[in-house]
Amino acid sequence: MIGYAASLFLFLSLSSPGKASGILSPSPSPDGKEIAFSYYGDIWIVKADGGMARRLTDSDAFESTPVWSPDGCYIAFLSDRDGSDDIYVIPSTGDEPPRRLTYHSSWDVPYFFNDRGDTLYFGSRRLEYRGALYKISISGGTPVKAVDFSLFNVRPIPGTDTVLFVRGATPSWRRKYRGSANWDIWKMSLKNQIPVRLTRFNGRDGWPMYSALDGRIYFVSNNTPDSTAQLFSMKPDGSDRKRITDFDDDVRFARISRNGELIAFQVFTDLYTYSVRSGEIKRIDVQVQEDYKNSEYYRQKLTRNATEFALSPDESELAFVLFGDIYVMEIKEDGPGTIKRITHTPEPEKYVSWHPKEEKLIFASLKSGNWDIYTVEPASEKKFFRDYSFRWKRIISSSATEKKPSYSPDGKKIAFIRDNGTLYVADSNGKKEKKLYDKNDVLWVSWSPDSRYIAFSRTELAWREDVYIVPAEGGRAYNITQHPNDDYKPMWSSDGRRLSFASRTAEGDLWIKYVFLREEDEARDRDYWKEMEDSLDSIRPIEIDFDGIKERIHEVAKLRGGYNYYTQSPDGRIYAIQAETPSGTDIWTVDWLGEKLRRRTQGGVNPKLIAISRDKKHIYYLDGKGRLKRISLDGKGNTPLSFEIEVEIPDTALKRALFEEAWWILKDGFYDPNFHGVDWSFLAEKYRDLAISRRTDRDFHYAVRMMLGELNASHLG
């Protein structure tokens, strides 16, 4: 029987060598002669001066953070091969397969072995929000808490019971941070557990390491003129700080050999070492056998995870977006019919909507490298679901972002959003653009039934929106709400008499409201509307009395919810609202007079999008798991609009598209137009190839986080 190491060698011997770029979490062996590291989601070992690395683990999981036992015989590492981040141990020779050491749904990360090598200390959040230090026998058993307060980057001072550790709260990928969540270095005896603070720099001091060779503590700090993180040393009491390196990029994940002679660390994609004895800084070239264990294609069968949908004007078709592509589903009385894939790109398509009179879709796509607006229509048939080929056309394009397109009801104009939420209109062919409002942060847009006005909501203060009406040909925009609530998503009734919107508070109160556009309608009482509504003609052209319009706002219903989705029937007489229930959020309906409030779904379907049919007999919705469904308002049925679609995308193309989408989200959405002083376009060039070349999702995510970290902003990544 072939042993584990022999079979692994035989497998790798069939592959080709290549240079390793983007090594993570390097860890020198106790004698400083080898370095273990994470690459392509596996643990590898290479000689300290570089050369061909040997693969220690081989799985489809992500494995990182190798830690050597004091005798160099074992390596503990983090792996998610069984679902969560647990710790495994493997002989450093690779003679045996890895053995699982910890079992918990929370993450566990190895820090160090004790001097005897029979106990491993590790960090975990299994009982504490910020985490604590635990220990476990390497033969297995129940972990025991060693320190019950938050600490990380825990490293031992060999031969003693003292550890060095870090306290702070910023992620490792955030660059040049200064603030209340700074990292500082501490030391403490594990016996008496009296912590002593060693650094008080208003920045980041981390990855502490003790060298018995010179009796100094080595660490990484961004206490530099340009705030890049460099390797430093100091005396054990925190005095006499000395800078060692001078790289253009940050030093990360530094670790020292047990004998105190060799420090390994990474700088961007490269592996470096520092000799404590000689002071030499050396870049290490590493070769690996490229086995391409992952498929060159991403393949998945999808029955959920749709992100949006739109009903066709005649309600015989439903367009939806799945994994970034547009599909059209035939709608039958008993459920879904034929489904056709309309777009087929690695880049995402979004914000799909229908032409009001033609068999045509309009949407935004990242196909060209930035968000542009396209149309697509069947090449030869009258319906999408009957055709096999489709004609694309890019109609609005610039170096900026264009998104959220919608046709006017007469089909002659297009409204769309550019960059950070600036409202524009153009002819239906994309020509003759006009900016309708100078300020940005427009979020929701709705055409009036006569195509003469556009209602929109935009952020006015912090998260609070107001609702505006502006002529589609340009002119003054009227703020019709001016209320401390968050007023959003305006929608016109088809008769042109009312404009509805949602209104919420930070305390979780959610109202549906409407405003009468004419004083004449405001003067009519409730009995009049109940008796005469069906016989009234639509207002064409629409008339709006802006004077005193805020005084004509009416509350329809109050429910519990945050920034929840709602919609109305095309005639504006029935509302469907996503509202809170004990089990999540469900769909409720109410008529425009505030009567017949009914709960329409049960069990917390958590709807993301909702639509009501023209005849007000059905509600279509997208549930929280991305499944399309239809329910009858007469209570006679709930019809799943099921799909089962196989997607196949080249892995490199998919990663490129994901990277570009992430970059554009910050390009358009970051609050500071100067990006905290960094060149955001340059950072795309810096990190794109690194991210695309990663084999595992977590490697890819880390590369993107490094890019986000360059912004030095909170709540990113």
Side-chain angles (χ1 to χ4, degrees):
M1 181 177 180
I2 298 177
Y4 177 79
S7 61
L8 184 59
F9 173 79
L10 178 62
F11 176 71
L12 295 180
S13 66
L14 302 176
S15 58
S16 58
K19 180 182 177 181
S21 177
I23 284 171
L24 296 177
S25 54
S27 177
S29 60
D31 59 9
K33 294 181 179 180
E34 294 183 304
I35 300 172
F37 59 91
S38 173
Y39 186 66
Y40 283 170
D42 289 313
I43 304 300
W44 304 67
I45 297 176
V46 69
K47 296 294 184 182
D49 58 357
M52 183 63 67
R54 60 184 175 92
R55 195 180 214 148
L56 192 62
T57 67
D58 181 30
S59 77
D60 293 331
F62 176 78
E63 296 170 342
S64 69
T65 322
V67 175
W68 294 79
S69 63
D71 59 6
C73 292
Y74 291 93
I75 290 178
F77 62 94
L78 174 154
S79 175
D80 62 4
R81 59 176 61 195
D82 288 304
S84 57
D85 282 351
D86 285 303
I87 297 172
Y88 295 73
V89 176
I90 187 172
S92 58
T93 58
D95 291 338
E96 300 174 6
R99 177 170 50 86
R100 188 175 181 180
L101 200 58
T102 65
Y103 299 78
H104 202 273
S105 58
S106 176
W107 61 261
D108 296 331
V109 57
Y111 284 140
F112 67 95
F113 286 84
N114 66 352
D115 288 336
R116 295 188 304 274
D118 59 4
T119 300
L120 179 73
Y121 286 80
F122 66 97
S124 179
R125 288 183 177 176
R126 56 187 58 204
L127 296 176
E128 301 82 5
Y129 173 71
R130 292 289 185 184
L133 184 67
Y134 289 78
K135 61 181 179 180
I136 188 172
S137 169
I138 65 165
S139 60
T142 302
V144 176
K145 187 184 294 185
V147 177
D148 64 358
F149 59 82
S150 173
L151 69 170
F152 59 97
N153 283 177
V154 187
R155 310 289 173 79
I157 296 180
T160 74
D161 69 345
T162 300
V163 294
L164 303 170
F165 61 91
V166 175
R167 285 178 60 84
T170 54
S172 63
W173 55 83
R174 183 172 177 179
R175 296 194 68 196
K176 303 183 179 183
Y177 175 76
R178 301 284 191 277
S180 59
N182 289 327
W183 289 11
D184 282 308
I185 296 172
W186 300 65
K187 69 178 179 180
M188 179 181 68
S189 165
L190 290 177
K191 289 182 179 179
N192 62 37
Q193 297 200 7
I194 300 175
V196 177
R197 189 174 182 177
L198 299 180
T199 66
R200 296 178 180 273
F201 164 58
N202 182 30
R204 173 176 293 168
D205 293 329
W207 291 292
M209 306 158 280
Y210 178 79
S211 173
L213 200 63
D214 59 4
R216 293 180 68 85
I217 294 173
Y218 290 80
F219 62 101
V220 177
S221 175
N222 63 5
N223 187 6
T224 59
D226 61 356
S227 295
T228 57
Q230 305 292 340
L231 186 64
F232 283 73
S233 73
M234 63 183 175
K235 290 182 178 179
D237 62 0
S239 64
D240 190 30
R241 294 170 64 115
K242 294 182 179 179
R243 178 173 172 174
I244 296 170
T245 60
D246 187 19
F247 293 102
D248 292 333
D249 217 312
D250 284 352
V251 171
R252 302 172 189 263
F253 302 106
R255 197 171 188 101
I256 197 168
S257 60
R258 182 176 175 82
N259 65 8
E261 293 199 7
L262 188 73
I263 297 174
F265 55 91
Q266 62 189 76
V267 179
F268 193 46
T269 62
D270 292 325
L271 172 64
Y272 283 84
T273 59
Y274 171 73
S275 170
V276 175
R277 186 179 299 276
S278 68
E280 180 186 12
I281 300 170
K282 184 179 180 181
R283 186 172 66 85
I284 307 301
D285 290 325
V286 180
Q287 299 289 316
V288 296
Q289 293 286 348
E290 301 277 9
D291 65 347
Y292 295 97
K293 66 175 183 177
N294 295 337
S295 171
E296 294 184 31
Y297 285 85
Y298 175 89
R299 297 181 177 91
Q300 190 173 1
K301 183 179 292 185
L302 299 174
T303 58
R304 58 176 66 182
N305 297 328
T307 54
E308 59 181 274
F309 75 91
L311 278 173
S312 64
D314 65 2
E315 299 183 2
S316 67
E317 296 172 290
L318 182 148
F320 64 99
V321 176
L322 179 69
F323 211 76
D325 280 311
I326 297 173
Y327 296 78
V328 169
M329 173 189 293
E330 178 189 11
I331 300 296
K332 294 183 175 181
E333 187 68 27
D334 58 351
T338 302
I339 298 175
K340 289 294 176 68
R341 185 174 187 172
I342 309 303
T343 66
H344 199 298
T345 66
E347 297 79 21
E349 280 79 55
K350 286 185 177 182
Y351 311 115
V352 62
S353 63
W354 292 83
H355 192 285
K357 299 179 180 181
E358 302 174 15
E359 185 75 355
K360 182 185 293 186
L361 293 169
I362 190 168
F363 57 94
S365 175
L366 200 54
K367 180 181 179 181
S368 66
N370 64 327
W371 287 105
D372 293 325
I373 293 176
Y374 295 77
T375 61
V376 64
E377 55 191 323
S380 56
E381 298 290 341
K382 293 183 178 181
K383 291 289 185 181
F384 277 105
F385 68 83
R386 293 196 178 104
D387 216 332
Y388 292 91
S389 60
F390 309 97
R391 293 193 299 265
W392 281 57
K393 186 176 182 180
R394 184 166 62 173
I395 61 170
I396 299 176
S397 174
S398 74
S399 60
T401 293
E402 289 87 25
K403 58 188 178 183
K404 297 185 179 180
S406 61
Y407 283 107
S408 59
D410 61 11
K412 296 179 180 180
K413 297 285 185 180
I414 298 168
F416 66 96
I417 300 298
R418 174 166 283 152
D419 279 343
N420 297 323
T422 305
L423 178 61
Y424 282 78
V425 292
D427 290 346
S428 61
N429 59 5
K431 308 298 183 183
K432 297 182 180 179
E433 293 181 8
K434 178 182 293 185
K435 183 190 293 187
L436 284 192
Y437 193 64
D438 288 333
K439 297 181 180 179
N440 56 15
D441 293 329
V442 172
L443 298 176
W444 299 94
V445 175
S446 177
W447 282 94
S448 65
D450 64 356
S451 303
R452 295 176 61 242
Y453 291 95
I454 291 177
F456 64 90
S457 60
R458 69 170 297 270
T459 303
E460 286 288 337
L461 180 64
W463 49 268
R464 188 181 64 82
E465 294 173 53
D466 276 331
V467 175
Y468 288 76
I469 296 176
V470 64
E473 295 298 325
R476 177 183 173 183
Y478 292 84
N479 186 333
I480 67 168
T481 54
Q482 295 187 32
H483 194 275
N485 281 8
D486 190 15
D487 300 325
Y488 64 96
K489 199 176 185 295
M491 300 185 74
W492 304 77
S493 61
S494 60
D495 61 9
R497 296 176 183 272
R498 290 178 290 111
L499 184 73
S500 300
F501 57 94
S503 182
R504 61 121 182 188
T505 67
E507 290 75 31
D509 294 321
L510 175 65
W511 286 267
I512 302 302
K513 300 181 180 181
Y514 68 84
V515 58
F516 279 119
L517 299 175
R518 303 190 309 161
E519 292 181 357
E520 177 182 339
D521 289 331
E522 173 69 15
R524 292 165 172 164
D525 62 18
R526 192 181 193 87
D527 291 336
Y528 173 87
W529 291 111
K530 287 184 176 182
E531 179 181 353
M532 300 296 296
E533 184 174 27
D534 289 337
S535 62
L536 292 176
D537 294 330
S538 297
I539 305 298
R540 297 292 188 275
I542 287 176
E543 302 169 2
I544 304 176
D545 298 324
F546 286 106
D547 289 342
I549 194 169
K550 293 187 294 297
E551 308 305 319
R552 302 198 295 273
I553 294 175
H554 297 261
E555 296 178 3
V556 177
K558 177 183 176 182
L559 301 99
R560 290 290 299 174
Y563 194 80
N564 289 12
Y565 193 86
Y566 93 99
T567 193
Q568 65 179 19
S569 57
D571 61 11
R573 297 188 188 183
I574 295 179
Y575 300 104
I577 310 111
Q578 175 196 14
E580 291 180 3
T581 65
S583 55
T585 61
D586 277 298
I587 298 174
W588 297 68
T589 60
V590 65
D591 70 20
W592 75 277
L593 294 172
E595 299 178 354
K596 302 177 183 177
L597 180 64
R598 301 285 188 274
R599 183 175 177 177
R600 298 297 184 174
T601 62
Q602 303 291 328
V605 300
N606 300 319
K608 296 189 288 186
L609 288 174
I610 312 170
I612 304 175
S613 62
R614 286 195 318 276
D615 60 11
K616 299 185 286 293
K617 292 183 178 180
H618 296 97
I619 289 178
Y620 296 81
Y621 70 93
L622 184 66
D623 74 10
K625 295 182 179 180
R627 298 174 297 194
L628 293 162
K629 296 184 178 180
R630 181 179 66 192
I631 57 175
S632 298
L633 288 179
D634 59 9
K636 293 183 179 179
N638 185 340
T639 306
L641 301 177
S642 304
F643 54 82
E644 184 176 294
I645 295 171
E646 294 186 5
V647 297
E648 179 182 271
I649 304 174
D651 187 68
T652 299
L654 176 60
K655 285 187 170 68
R656 180 181 296 276
L658 291 172
F659 178 87
E660 298 297 340
E661 186 173 11
W663 184 86
W664 274 102
I665 288 172
L666 270 295
K667 171 68 166 60
D668 292 335
F670 194 60
Y671 77 98
D672 178 11
N674 295 318
F675 293 93
H676 284 184
V678 302
D679 185 337
W680 191 236
S681 295
F682 167 78
L683 292 178
E685 299 301 319
K686 177 179 178 179
Y687 287 100
R688 181 181 290 110
D689 289 344
L690 173 64
I692 292 171
S693 64
R694 300 305 87 191
R695 295 281 183 84
T696 70
D697 289 345
R698 290 179 66 169
D699 274 330
F700 173 82
H701 294 159
Y702 180 72
V704 173
R705 285 183 178 125
M706 287 175 65
M707 179 178 70
L708 300 181
E710 299 264 9
L711 291 170
N712 188 14
S714 63
H715 298 83
L716 293 179

